[in-house]
Amino acid sequence: MNVLEAHVARSLEKDGTPCAEVQVRTDDPQCEQVLAYFSLSADQDYDLVSIVRDDADLLTDWFDNSMHTAYEDITMQWFENESLKTDWGRRETFKQQVLASGQVREDLRELLG
């Protein structure tokens, strides 16, 4: 999958770590919209913490809806190889595509440092 467009939406804490939520549009027909969460890494770059499928629909998700899961963590699904291990090359490629899209890197620097 390739990143078509991305932009930083907000800052938040994820499992106690300051993160930024990035809305990403991809060319994957199964997951056209995802949320990618980034944190500041020890080397002053950014770590891709997780990816969540953004399947929210205002028509069905304005109340507690059991029809589907609106936000599902798909990090492992997207980057798992045949031996059920993380394909770090694909994960890094996706991360770099997001960081290179528009103002993402600059906005992350502003939000996270």
Side-chain angles (χ1 to χ4, degrees):
M1 103 276 333
N2 294 300
V3 172
L4 300 176
E5 179 182 15
H7 68 276
V8 175
R10 64 185 175 137
S11 64
L12 68 151
E13 245 185 53
K14 195 159 175 59
D15 298 325
T17 302
C19 291
E21 181 181 86
V22 180
Q23 295 177 337
V24 182
R25 191 168 61 88
T26 75
D27 64 356
D28 183 341
Q30 307 283 190
C31 293
E32 291 177 359
Q33 298 284 336
V34 296
L35 301 173
Y37 294 91
F38 286 87
S39 67
L40 187 61
S41 67
D43 63 355
Q44 298 302 309
D45 196 21
Y46 302 100
D47 287 332
L48 177 60
V49 175
S50 65
I51 299 173
V52 174
R53 179 191 327 257
D54 182 2
D55 195 23
D57 180 354
L58 290 178
L59 294 175
T60 57
D61 292 322
W62 60 272
F63 63 97
D64 189 13
N65 178 1
S66 62
M67 290 171 58
H68 72 285
T69 304
Y71 298 99
E72 175 187 9
D73 190 323
I74 59 169
T75 312
M76 293 305 292
Q77 291 173 350
W78 264 23
F79 302 116
E80 206 171 65
N81 61 23
E82 297 82 32
S83 59
L84 303 178
K85 296 189 178 181
T86 301
D87 183 335
W88 292 103
R90 278 191 6 213
R91 185 177 171 127
E92 183 66 19
T93 298
F94 178 80
K95 173 185 137 179
Q96 292 305 325
Q97 286 181 6
V98 172
L99 291 174
S101 181
Q103 293 283 115
V104 170
R105 190 175 285 278
E106 292 81 10
D107 291 345
L108 288 177
R109 188 175 307 118
E110 193 173 300
L111 281 177
L112 300 175

